[in-house]
Every structure is written in structure tokens, then in C-alpha cells.
Amino acid sequence: MLARQNHSTPLQWLGRQLFNRDDASAFFDPLLARINPMWVQEYTPARVQRIIRDTSDTQTFVLKPARRWQGFAAGQHVNICVEIDGVRHHRTFSLSSSTTLWHDEGLVTLTIKRLPGGRVTNWLHDQLKSGAVVGLSEAFGDFLIPEPVRPILFIAGGSGITPILSQLKTMAVHGFRAPVTLLYFVRDHDHAIAGEHLQNLAALHDLLTVKIVASQGGSEPRYLTQSDLNEITDLGCRDIFLCGPQGLMALAGELLDAKGVSRDKIHSTYFSAPQTDLDSEDLGGKVRFARSNLDVDSTGDAPLLEIAEAAGLTPQHGCRMGICHQCSCRKTSGTVVNRLTGQASGPGEDTIQLCISIPQGPVSLDI
Amino acid sequence: MKQMTEAQLTELEQDLNAIRNDVLADLGERDARYIRRVVRLHRTLEVGGRVLMPFGFIPPVFVAATVALGLSKIIENMEIGHNVMHGQYDWMNDPSLHSQTYEWDTACSSDSWRRTHNYEHHTYTNIIGKDRDYGYAVLRLSDDEPWRPRHSLQFINYILLSTFFQWGVGLHELETERLHRREITLRSKLPFLKEFFRKGGRQAFKDYVFFPLLTFPVAPIVLAGNIGANLIRNLWSSTVIFCGHFTQDAETFTEEECWGDGKNESKGHWYLRQLSGSSNFTGGRWVHLLSGHLSFQMEHHVFPDLPAHRYPEISDRVREVCAKHGIHYNTGSFARQYGTVLKRIAAFSLPDRLRARLPALDVA
Ligand code: FES
């Protein structure tokens, strides 16, 4: 997913002849990485310039990607790739900086919250030091500032603020000329990411209204309500951007529906928290075979190879007992449990053996 | 093969699983660092060999360049390619070290290798008629195959096979013996042949056309050096592989033993067969590295997907398990093991009656 494919065809041909691989330049990566990790060709390297502490559990990582990185639009995400204890992990985060920072200084930022039990976020917080190099994918996602300029309502929860942060910063620099309101739900005010920065932006730009709501402050939890929406002037003609935990997104969806806001005005994006409980009881789940464009349901401890075959697919396999690796394939998302070790995989991209992997919840595969 | 009850086989399975689980639980940084270091060594040797080769008109440089390139191919084939394709490093989640995508520096395409070696050979190890690696359908190495006059010249076949080993391995999937017996048609092998010509062509192009032409005035020297490097690799890998299964005490099996009366071979039985059918040889650190740790063929066959550099450190435990269950831990010096291989090739080139009269050739 981090690979780039922009080589000319004759060179690619020659590369394959000489080095048995599509990306001939990456043949030298093991040596280049030794000399200067920023020269690695297989993925785009990005050096950690600085790490800024935002809240007790959130840090902003300032990255300098190799110059060949192609840039991003505010609201987009990237995958980053880090090696933890010998294993490469990929995770998706939204960029939180303005696009100007990239254009002017060649820098981007990721604002990352520590997830309880999260392998990668905790490692990033505790182990990643400035000066280190991580892998970066090209930016993707269509959570983008509307064009032409229209009034906007942002509803964010927790770390869902990060893509919106990038959008607000970018809009401020470019002088966005329409009313913008942000409703930002946080546990308490100490957990507001970039709270001060947002208030400053609001003070500088009279078209921007920022309302930070602490959900856990009072005697009762305080969630998004109908009256929050009533306060928004001309809600009907605003584009609405939602980003946050699933509960908030669902609630916002219902309330907006009740208000008669049309669906195509609503843009949303979220990352669900990785599943941390490994209860082997709840095995099975929806399996998506992406390349064959097929979805099937599975229950119990059926391994993916059997699920795929039952669905009429014929994935490569050999021994069916975990020794030959003929059945290895890419899992693009979801968690699987290894039948031999009882271990659950991470939720991100991974290589798994179909014959001994059992889905735990929804899984999608590149076959 | 040693007779063991189902209960004993289950115990054997548990004993070996315990070793396996300990290694799996410990995989990490150290293994990643090891394989990356080996990959760096390979790149350095290959780049070094290629760069030096055009200066091969100076004899010592010619030797150095040829040896460097030969070593680079050996390390790439044995310690990197073979082991990566077994999935030993899949857990690293690094696409350049992944079993299903790795393509190695030899005439055999990785896809073909994954079918004939990872699947056929490792599933049906030493079962005559099922494991086509046993004698490579060229050599007669056990009594299970009746003697024919052509076998008397099999020593020549053996030398040819070793010299052109990469091409032999590349063509292995053609199943010429079955074509010969008209069990399959050449037609059904066309997709494979296409794959073979593509991969083999690529290898020949780079070593015998591209690099010599690139260095035009000294093309013959570069060509000779590249041929030499391939030869070094072919002889060494074939020797290592022959020492893994064709030594004096490495056993063969019949289908009947494993699947007789419609039974399914248990994992414990499979383990027993892997141990009884393989053989190790001793040596220093470099011997192990250059053989891709197939000097620990027994450990490799019971745990084909554990990183190979772990075999030396678990070999004592495997040896103890063997001792406990009365299984012969087949090891010896390289010279001794290789000697028994040569003896086996010679012995089975003779008709059974003649062999029986030559005690020096007794291998059974
Ligand atoms: S089929 Fe052999 S490992 Fe899955």
C-alpha cells in the first residue's frame, strides 16, 4: 500500500530482467537504508522533525516526507508504516496540518491519540523519537472542503478533530468566505485536542464559530442534542462534516435526519477503534473478498480457506495445515485469529495464511 | 520407519510443538535484524562481484569477482530465497521478504518452486512415488524402484544434474517421467513451459547476455566469470540438497505406511517421517549460512517455516526429543554424509544381486 508505481516501462522491464522484481531501484534499498534511510525507494520515507505534546494522551508528530511525496488535500489521510519488534505495521491517520505548511516548508503533521491497548499508537508515543524515519503512503480520502465555497457545519468527537483541524487551518490561510461552525465534543476540556488553537482561530476569523462541549463534565453526560443543531443558522444550506466515534456519528445522523437535512449534504469519515478483547467465543464474521467482489457471512471457527472455497473461490493452497504457506494472502482490514497459535492479528494490513486463520468480526481480503 | 503407537506419536507431536511454540513466541527484532543483515551481505557481494568482473583480466580479480558473485547467488538462493519462500519471515509483513511474492535469482520460477518444493516435497517427504525430489526422477536411490540398465550410468547423470542444477530444478515440474509414461500430455504442461522460458530466459539474459555486452571489450571474461559463478552455486546447492535426504540413514516411505487403510496421516506421524527422512551435517557458522541452514535439514523439515538461523539453537532440543523417542538423529561431518550419498548413488546404479555381493556398497 505504500509502494509507488511511477517507473517507465522499458526500465521496469530491464529491472525485472536483472533483479527479479518490479521495483528495480528497491533492490538497493537494504544498502541505501544503511547510508541514508531517506533514500529508500520502496516507500516514501518521512523523517520525524519534532514531537509536540498536545494533551495527556495526544501528540503531534511533525514529519518531513522525502520530496517526491505528492502532497495532500486538507481532510485526507495517510498510512504510515513503522517497524515494531521486527514487524511492519501500517496504520491510517489523518493529516492535521494545513496544506500550506507542506507547500512552504515541506512539512506535514499527524496528531495521534494513544488508544488504550493500541500497539501502534502506544509505540508511537513511547518509542518514536525525532530523527527517526517512518514510511508514508500517498494521501487518500474524499473528506474534502467543498468547492465552490459554501457554509459548513463540522461535528467532531475526540480525535476525530484531526482532519477538521487540517481543513480549518487550510481554510484560514486561504481566507474561506462563508460561515463555518465547529461543534467539538470532548470528554473534558483537558482532552480537547488543539483547543486553544481552535479558539484563537475563531477569535481571528469572525465567520468561524467554535463550540467545544465537554461530555463528561456535569452530573449527566452531555451529548449532541437537537438544540445544538437549532442554534445553527441556515442549517439546511450547510455542508455537514462528521468525524468521530461511531456513537456520535450515529446520533448526529439521526438528529440531522429528523431535521430533514438531505443525505448528500453529509460527509463523514471515522476510524473505529481496534478490537482489543480477544474473546475466542466471538469468532466468525462477514468476510469480504475484495478482488472477487464477494461478501459472505461466516460463523464459528471455520478458517478463511474453507469459507472462500464454500463461496466458490479457489484460492491457492497446499497442505491445509499451516506448513506450506501456499495459501498466504493479504488481509486489508479486520482481525483474524491464528488457529495454531490462538493469537489474534492486528486490525490493519497483514499477511495471513488462509487455512489457519479464523475471522473475528468483519474481515476483508485481497483475493 | 520406526513403529510408534498413536499415543507415542501424539507425545512426539507435543514435544516438537513445544519447541516450535517457544521459537514463535520469541520471534522479533533479532530475526528481522538477522535476515536484513544477510540481505545486505547479498547485495554487497552481488554489486561487488558485478563491478569487479570487468576487471577480470587481472587473474586474482577474476577469481575474487567470480567467487563473490557465486557466493552472492548461493546466499540469495539458500539463506534468503529458499527460506523466505517457506514463509519464515512472513510475520515481518515486509513485502520484499514475503513467501508469496519473492522471486529468486535462479532459473526455477518461484511459483513453480512453491508448488514442487514447499507443497509436494515438504508434504510428501521421501514417500516414493509421491515426493518427486527423491532422486529427481533421474536417479535410482532406493530399492523401491526396480533396476533398469540405464541406471548403471546414473553417476554421469548425477554429475550432469549437479552441473546444471538450476536448470534441472527449473524443469522439475515438467514431470518428464510422467510425460514419458504418457500419463500426462505435453499440452497440459504448456503454461508451465511458458513460465519456465520466461524465468529461465531472464536468468540467461542477465548473466550470459546483458552484463557481458554491457562491458563489451571484456565480454568473454565477464561471460566466463558469470558461468563460473553459476557453476559454483549449482554444485554447492545440489550437494547440500543431496546431503539432506540421500545419506545412508535417511529413510524412504511408502504411501501405504502413511495412508494405508484409508487412514489420514497424523501430525505426529508426519513429524516422525520428516525426522527419519532427513539428515544433517555439521560445520562452522559459515557452512550453515551458505547452506541456508539446510545443514539442519531435520530441524528444517519439522519446522519449515521457522526462521532457519534458529535451527542451530534448537537442534539440541530436537536431538533430545529424538533420543527420548528412539529416533535416529542423523548427523555427521559434511565429508562423511556426502560420502554416503555418493555411495548410495553408486550402489543403486547396480542391479540388486550384484550389489548384494559388494559389501563395501551396503547402504541399506
Ligand atoms: S495450505 Fe499450506 S499453509 Fe495453508
Side-chain angles (χ1 to χ4, degrees):
Chain A
M1 198 143 183
L2 297 176
R4 299 167 316 119
Q5 233 116 44
N6 51 1
H7 299 274
S8 61
T9 320
L11 259 184
Q12 220 173 23
W13 177 86
L14 190 63
R16 259 199 307 270
Q17 304 303 310
L18 300 185
F19 300 112
N20 285 313
R21 47 164 70 226
D22 289 330
D23 190 355
S25 43
F27 178 83
F28 299 99
D29 276 351
L31 298 179
L32 295 178
R34 253 304 151 100
I35 307 169
N36 181 351
M38 291 298 284
W39 292 348
V40 166
Q41 294 299 308
E42 181 204 347
Y43 50 80
T44 308
R47 193 182 289 280
V48 182
Q49 274 324 67
R50 218 154 6 103
I51 299 172
I52 304 157
R53 179 163 212 100
D54 297 302
T55 70
S56 59
D57 59 0
T58 308
Q59 292 181 357
T60 291
F61 298 83
V62 183
L63 304 178
K64 191 178 185 72
R67 209 57 228 204
R68 62 173 190 264
W69 193 66
Q70 291 176 2
F72 70 106
Q76 286 193 309
H77 333 288
V78 284
N79 286 331
I80 66 163
C81 166
V82 291
E83 193 173 309
I84 303 175
D85 205 13
V87 183
R88 278 195 190 179
H89 294 273
H90 302 257
R91 288 292 186 276
T92 309
F93 298 104
S94 10
L95 292 152
S96 56
S97 51
S98 73
T99 51
T100 321
L101 188 68
W102 162 247
H103 288 299
D104 296 353
E105 296 177 47
L107 299 176
V108 297
T109 67
L110 297 175
T111 300
I112 296 172
K113 187 176 160 191
R114 203 190 265 278
L115 291 172
R119 195 202 313 256
V120 174
T121 56
N122 280 296
W123 185 87
L124 291 171
H125 276 242
D126 300 333
Q127 308 290 330
L128 189 63
K129 297 277 161 340
S130 56
V133 171
V134 300
L136 200 66
S137 75
E138 291 302 334
F140 62 95
D142 45 14
F143 194 68
L144 305 175
I145 303 170
E147 247 177 290
V149 172
R150 287 193 293 272
I152 296 177
L153 166 63
F154 287 114
I155 303 176
S159 56
I161 190 70
T162 52
I164 295 169
L165 207 50
S166 165
Q167 293 177 322
L168 289 173
K169 286 174 182 170
T170 307
M171 289 154 88
V173 178
H174 292 164
F176 193 80
R177 304 301 314 159
V180 174
T181 303
L182 166 67
L183 293 179
Y184 179 22
F185 290 83
V186 292
R187 193 160 2 131
D188 52 55
H189 283 280
D190 291 341
H191 281 88
I193 296 167
E196 214 171 299
H197 188 90
L198 289 166
Q199 300 292 9
N200 287 344
L201 274 181
L204 279 171
H205 301 272
D206 41 345
L207 285 172
L208 174 63
T209 315
V210 169
K211 185 169 155 191
I212 302 182
V213 182
S215 59
Q216 305 298 330
S219 50
E220 297 255 301
R222 159 80 165 85
Y223 296 126
L224 178 70
T225 62
Q226 204 57 261
S227 63
D228 287 321
L229 297 180
N230 289 339
E231 280 173 28
I232 315 287
T233 50
D234 40 273
L235 182 65
C237 56
R238 293 204 187 217
D239 272 47
I240 297 160
F241 286 79
L242 303 176
C243 186
Q246 222 164 343
L248 173 69
M249 310 265 290
L251 178 61
E254 274 168 38
L255 295 175
L256 289 167
D257 250 3
K259 281 239 151 214
V261 174
S262 89
R263 289 265 157 114
D264 55 341
K265 291 285 227 182
I266 304 177
H267 316 270
S268 58
T269 189
Y270 65 89
F271 313 110
S272 42
Q275 198 159 357
T276 42
D277 74 313
L278 303 177
D279 188 3
S280 54
E281 298 300 313
D282 48 56
L283 293 174
K286 198 180 241 357
V287 184
R288 164 141 195 84
F289 298 102
R291 219 183 305 155
S292 332
N293 201 10
L294 199 69
D295 291 277
V296 292
D297 275 314
S298 80
T299 49
D301 61 352
L304 285 165
L305 181 60
E306 280 168 26
I307 299 170
E309 288 173 338
L313 301 178
T314 49
Q316 242 196 57
H317 69 271
C319 64
R320 308 186 77 101
M321 55 200 250
I323 49 170
C324 72
H325 288 260
Q326 284 289 95
C327 63
S328 292
C329 80
R330 294 299 283 174
K331 165 176 77 64
T332 46
S333 71
T335 305
V336 298
V337 176
N338 182 312
R339 174 175 260 178
L340 297 181
T341 61
Q343 292 275 317
S345 70
E349 260 202 42
D350 259 321
T351 298
I352 56 163
Q353 286 164 275
L354 289 176
C355 67
I356 49 165
S357 296
I358 302 161
Q360 189 182 45
V363 168
S364 66
L365 299 171
D366 186 25
I367 54 173
Chain B
M1 184 161 48
K2 193 183 148 55
Q3 289 305 313
M4 287 170 76
T5 65
E6 275 311 312
Q8 288 168 323
L9 287 172
T10 308
E11 201 182 330
L12 173 67
E13 177 184 343
Q14 286 162 351
D15 290 345
L16 289 170
N17 281 347
I19 301 177
R20 178 185 163 82
N21 291 339
D22 286 349
V23 175
L24 281 179
D26 189 46
L27 289 185
E29 185 69 44
R30 175 157 75 99
D31 307 87
R33 220 178 318 125
Y34 173 80
I35 192 67
R36 296 245 158 85
R37 239 176 55 206
V38 174
V39 170
R40 265 199 314 272
L41 174 64
H42 161 246
R43 299 296 196 269
T44 312
L45 284 168
E46 168 147 14
V47 172
R50 300 261 184 222
V51 168
L52 281 181
M53 201 66 87
F55 303 96
F57 48 83
I58 311 163
V61 176
F62 180 79
V63 173
T66 306
V67 169
L69 194 56
L71 285 178
S72 110
K73 282 175 184 281
I74 286 173
I75 291 172
E76 198 277 342
N77 288 178
M78 309 294 281
E79 184 71 336
I80 306 173
H82 169 257
N83 290 336
V84 163
M85 282 192 281
H86 266 295
Q88 293 180 359
Y89 299 96
D90 280 5
W91 55 273
M92 284 172 63
N93 208 12
D94 178 343
S96 71
L97 293 173
H98 189 264
S99 62
Q100 296 306 298
T101 48
Y102 195 86
E103 187 61 64
W104 58 349
D105 183 14
T106 178
C108 179
S109 81
S110 289
D111 281 330
S112 176
W113 177 260
R114 282 184 278 260
R115 291 186 293 262
T116 55
H117 177 87
N118 287 15
Y119 169 45
E120 279 182 23
H121 170 61
H122 274 271
T123 310
Y124 304 113
T125 314
N126 286 28
I127 297 180
I128 303 300
K130 286 288 253 181
D131 176 8
R132 297 185 55 261
D133 275 23
Y134 203 81
Y136 292 92
V138 181
L139 306 177
R140 172 180 184 255
L141 297 174
S142 78
D143 275 330
D144 305 283
E145 197 186 340
W147 183 85
R148 299 228 166 69
R150 66 178 164 92
H151 289 133
S152 52
L153 291 178
Q154 69 173 356
F155 222 94
I156 299 174
N157 280 342
Y158 165 65
I159 291 169
L160 287 174
L161 178 64
S162 279
T163 308
F164 298 100
F165 196 57
Q166 69 161 336
W167 301 102
V169 170
L171 277 169
H172 192 43
E173 205 182 346
L174 187 58
E175 305 186 275
T176 42
E177 76 287 2
R178 293 184 62 204
L179 282 175
H180 207 75
R181 296 197 296 263
R182 292 179 194 273
E183 285 168 22
I184 48 172
T185 61
L186 192 60
R187 224 204 157 79
S188 69
K189 287 291 175 186
L190 283 182
F192 163 74
L193 278 173
K194 221 172 108 193
E195 190 181 325
F196 168 77
F197 283 118
R198 237 177 83 195
K199 180 68 200 293
R202 190 187 280 185
Q203 292 299 117
F205 169 79
K206 111 170 123 180
D207 282 336
Y208 307 140
V209 180
F210 180 81
F211 282 108
L213 281 186
L214 190 67
T215 51
F216 176 64
V218 288
I221 291 173
V222 172
L223 180 65
N226 290 358
I227 291 174
N230 278 313
L231 184 65
I232 295 174
R233 183 268 318 268
N234 286 354
L235 293 176
W236 171 249
S237 23
S238 110
T239 308
V240 165
I241 288 161
F242 271 65
C243 284
H245 293 291
F246 312 143
T247 55
Q248 175 165 328
D249 299 333
E251 298 178 35
T252 58
F253 317 101
T254 61
E255 279 184 69
E256 190 57 34
E257 278 177 282
C258 311
W259 293 284
D261 326 319
K263 73 169 179 208
N264 240 334
E265 187 182 37
S266 66
K267 184 73 190 258
H269 193 267
W270 181 83
Y271 272 142
L272 170 63
R273 182 156 56 80
Q274 302 304 326
L275 288 170
S276 323
S278 319
S279 51
N280 291 1
F281 55 82
T282 55
R285 231 182 98 220
W286 280 95
V287 173
H288 299 315
L289 172 72
L290 293 177
S291 62
H293 289 89
L294 293 184
S295 43
F296 292 94
Q297 189 77 250
M298 298 176 74
E299 285 74 7
H300 174 60
H301 261 267
V302 285
F303 309 125
D305 59 357
L306 293 185
H309 75 109
R310 295 278 191 156
Y311 298 152
E313 60 190 57
I314 58 171
S315 64
D316 282 343
R317 289 180 68 185
V318 173
R319 191 192 278 260
E320 274 164 34
V321 170
C322 285
K324 173 177 163 191
H325 295 273
I327 302 166
H328 174 49
Y329 190 85
N330 182 349
T331 189
S333 71
F334 180 79
R336 193 195 92 89
Q337 296 291 63
Y338 188 50
T340 68
V341 170
L342 295 179
K343 208 162 88 177
R344 187 188 276 269
I345 298 171
F348 286 100
S349 65
L350 302 176
D352 301 342
R353 235 175 321 131
L354 191 59
R355 192 178 78 228
R357 271 193 254 134
L358 295 170
L361 287 183
D362 180 25
V363 290

